[in-house]
Amino acid sequence: MESHDRTTIVIAHRLSTIRNADRIAVIAGGKLVEIGPHDELMEKPNGRYKRLVESQKRKNDVSVAAIKKDNLLTLEQDDENVDFEKEAEEESSKAFNKSDARKFALPETKFYIIGSIGAAIAGGVFPAWGIVFAEMIGLLFYPVFPCDEDTVGTDYTVGYSTCSDYYNGSAKEIQEMSYQIALYWCGIILACFVGNLLVFYGFGYATERINKRIRDITFSSLMRQEVAFFDKRSVGSITSQLQDDVAFIFAFSGEPIRTLVINVSSVVTGLTISFIYMWPFALLSLGVIPFMGFATALEMKRFLGEDEGGEAVEDGRDSPGGIIVETLLNIRTVSALTMEEQRFKDYEKALEKAEGNVIAESAVSGMFSGLSIGIQQWTNALQFWWGGWLMFNYPDKFDFNDFLVSMFALLFSLFALGAAAGGVTDKKKAEAAAGRLFYLINRKSAIDPLSTSGKKLS
């Protein structure tokens, strides 16, 4: 400040630090009330600057020792290891409300209707796939019997004059059936493309609009919080609310609708087709649907790796990765205190906790896998036996093609249950994420910087 080579602007509350300044400006209520050097301002009888200087020169009679003593007592009473993140999680869990999550989806109703139409089409593809599969089996096993010129025109060669005509006629019929099945496959491909296109457009567009709206509201609420709010939360937890937590809202709006529509569309269509072609078989299938659904769910979990055991270990300080990072960052301290063996033992314990009991988990996984396959095989055996019994005792009502269509239409419709369940969001994680968002959105800041209330300067 003593230098005259440059201009220095100083904002001071301790007035002794600016005593030698060339010009001192006093700001009060957002306005400039006094300006001038120190001596000139001190000559004003009732000046604002003079009163401030005199108030700072007064003797302070406050007992510093008493203040320190009170602070020590307060620290002893308070918990020194307060887990602010845990407190925040508890507060967030109380703020979760499923109805609030669904309210955000109301403006996107038209997109959900479009997505539901696509889900109904996509769900109907599975039983249609079963029909075409049954027709393919009928085509592959189309009977062409040996022909004898002496018996032409009888039994299976009725309408043919020679064996050559019979073979050519059978070949032409197989060719026409193959063309027909190819057209069926084209229809399934088109329905699958249109259905999934509508699903991704409807639910995807609605989800992105909801995410954008919630991110805006969350960011606005975040900007309103006081400084103490950020002192109790890490930067990662704050940014994850805007990036990751918002995406979980889909678990309470579009995802249940998509899963329900696909499941209902597939199962109802499969049952209807099965009843039309062979209703006694469809009745038996109704009784085994719960068992097949359970077996399919187990198989999908095994296929997606969801049945793999092992306790989920968070990447904290006690995790294997956390111990390695902490040790390497403080390697000099570890070496100076000869703690290498202890850190190695801690790392081994963390690995054992992370891996879990591999033998027991493998045995449980194998048991559930065997149970899934066993249920499916025994159910298929029962259905084949019942279908064969019906064809044998009622040949005039049911034939082999009826049995195949009835069975595969219903069987393939159950595949939709596993396909719709694939990628479903973990409900606990979704509820925790939604709770954090709603807690932040509904939280009232102690000091709101965006508030328009209060004193306004003219």
Side-chain angles (χ1 to χ4, degrees):
M1 197 178 301
E2 295 291 340
S3 175
H4 297 281
D5 298 335
R6 60 182 179 272
T7 301
T8 305
I9 299 175
V10 180
I11 300 175
H13 295 280
R14 189 174 179 181
L15 302 182
S16 60
T17 60
I18 59 172
R19 182 183 181 90
N20 297 325
D22 295 331
R23 301 182 70 184
I24 300 174
V26 181
I27 308 296
K31 297 180 179 180
L32 178 64
V33 294
E34 292 179 359
I35 188 170
H38 173 76
D39 296 336
E40 181 181 333
L41 295 178
M42 291 297 294
E43 291 177 357
K44 294 184 178 182
N46 196 26
R48 182 70 66 91
Y49 177 77
K50 181 178 180 180
R51 295 200 306 268
L52 290 173
V53 172
E54 290 177 351
S55 66
Q56 290 188 2
K57 289 182 178 180
R58 293 171 186 168
K59 184 179 179 181
N60 190 355
D61 297 331
V62 178
S63 177
V64 178
I67 294 177
K68 291 184 177 180
K69 184 177 180 181
D70 292 339
N71 289 337
L72 289 175
L73 292 175
T74 304
L75 290 174
E76 291 177 357
Q77 293 174 357
D78 294 340
D79 185 8
E80 296 181 357
N81 297 319
V82 177
D83 192 347
F84 293 112
E85 293 188 0
K86 185 176 181 180
E87 289 183 357
E89 286 293 335
E90 293 177 355
E91 294 174 352
S92 301
S93 62
K94 299 177 183 178
F96 171 72
N97 191 346
K98 190 178 293 186
S99 61
D100 291 341
R102 291 173 178 171
K103 287 179 182 178
F104 284 100
L106 290 179
E108 318 304 333
T109 303
K110 61 179 180 180
F111 295 106
Y112 284 130
I113 293 175
I114 295 174
S116 298
I117 295 173
I121 298 174
V125 166
F126 288 91
W129 184 13
I131 295 176
V132 178
F133 191 77
E135 294 292 340
M136 286 182 60
I137 293 179
L139 173 63
L140 294 174
F141 288 90
Y142 185 86
V144 179
F145 300 99
C147 179
D148 188 359
E149 294 293 343
D150 297 334
T151 59
V152 173
T154 61
D155 296 334
Y156 46 84
T157 59
V158 174
Y160 298 100
S161 58
T162 62
C163 290
S164 179
D165 293 339
Y166 167 67
Y167 290 136
N168 291 332
S170 299
K172 185 177 181 181
E173 188 171 355
I174 292 174
Q175 185 181 41
E176 291 178 352
M177 290 176 63
S178 63
Y179 289 157
Q180 188 177 11
I181 291 175
L183 290 177
Y184 290 161
W185 277 118
C186 292
I188 289 178
I189 293 172
L190 180 62
C192 187
F193 176 78
V194 173
N196 286 283
L197 180 65
L198 293 176
V199 167
F200 283 103
Y201 171 76
F203 292 112
Y205 198 77
T207 300
E208 292 304 320
R209 286 170 61 92
I210 293 173
N211 291 352
K212 171 66 168 55
R213 193 160 57 249
I214 295 179
R215 282 194 175 100
D216 291 341
I217 297 174
T218 305
F219 184 76
S220 177
S221 179
L222 192 63
M223 293 297 99
R224 292 179 178 273
Q225 305 306 317
E226 69 276 7
V227 177
F229 175 85
F230 299 95
D231 292 338
K232 298 179 180 179
R233 289 161 178 81
S234 62
V235 177
S237 64
I238 293 174
T239 55
S240 66
Q241 290 180 335
L242 295 174
Q243 180 178 354
D244 301 329
D245 290 353
V246 175
F248 283 102
I249 299 298
F250 178 67
F252 305 102
S253 54
E255 186 175 279
I257 300 175
R258 175 183 63 83
T259 304
L260 177 64
V261 173
I262 291 178
N263 290 341
V264 172
S265 172
S266 179
V267 173
V268 170
T269 304
L271 282 173
T272 302
I273 295 173
S274 184
F275 269 101
I276 292 174
Y277 279 85
M278 186 179 279
W279 64 268
F281 180 84
L283 287 177
L284 173 67
S285 300
L286 275 177
V288 300
I289 277 180
F291 301 98
M292 288 295 292
F294 174 72
T296 304
L298 290 178
E299 185 177 7
M300 290 301 298
K301 285 185 177 181
R302 182 173 59 88
F303 177 75
L304 297 174
E306 297 178 8
D307 63 335
E308 294 181 359
E311 182 182 356
V313 180
E314 299 181 354
D315 293 334
R317 296 178 58 184
D318 295 333
S319 65
I323 292 175
I324 291 177
V325 172
E326 187 179 18
T327 303
L328 293 177
L329 291 176
N330 302 278
I331 190 63
R332 292 184 178 180
T333 305
V334 172
S335 177
L337 300 177
T338 63
M339 296 178 61
E340 293 88 345
E341 292 292 336
Q342 180 62 39
R343 298 304 293 171
F344 179 71
K345 292 180 180 178
D346 294 340
Y347 179 72
E348 285 184 327
K349 292 180 180 178
L351 279 180
E352 292 177 358
K353 183 179 179 181
E355 292 179 356
N357 193 339
V358 179
I359 298 177
E361 291 164 2
S362 300
V364 172
S365 177
M367 181 180 66
F368 280 110
S369 177
L371 179 62
S372 171
I373 297 175
I375 292 175
Q376 295 182 63
Q377 296 301 324
W378 280 101
T379 302
N380 290 335
L382 178 62
Q383 289 178 322
F384 274 105
W385 173 82
W386 180 240
W389 188 88
L390 290 173
M391 288 188 293
F392 181 78
N393 290 279
Y394 301 96
D396 298 333
K397 294 183 179 180
F398 309 112
D399 57 15
F400 184 61
N401 185 68
D402 295 335
F403 167 68
L404 289 178
V405 172
S406 180
M407 180 181 68
F408 284 114
L410 190 57
L411 180 64
F412 278 63
S413 68
L414 296 179
F415 292 164
L417 301 179
V424 175
T425 308
D426 189 346
K427 290 297 181 182
K428 292 184 178 179
K429 292 183 179 179
E431 291 178 359
R436 289 191 292 268
L437 289 175
F438 293 138
Y439 170 74
L440 177 58
I441 292 173
N442 299 325
R443 186 179 186 274
K444 293 184 179 180
S445 175
I447 304 175
D448 189 352
L450 302 181
S451 176
T452 58
S453 61
K455 184 180 179 180
K456 295 183 180 180
L457 301 177
S458 59

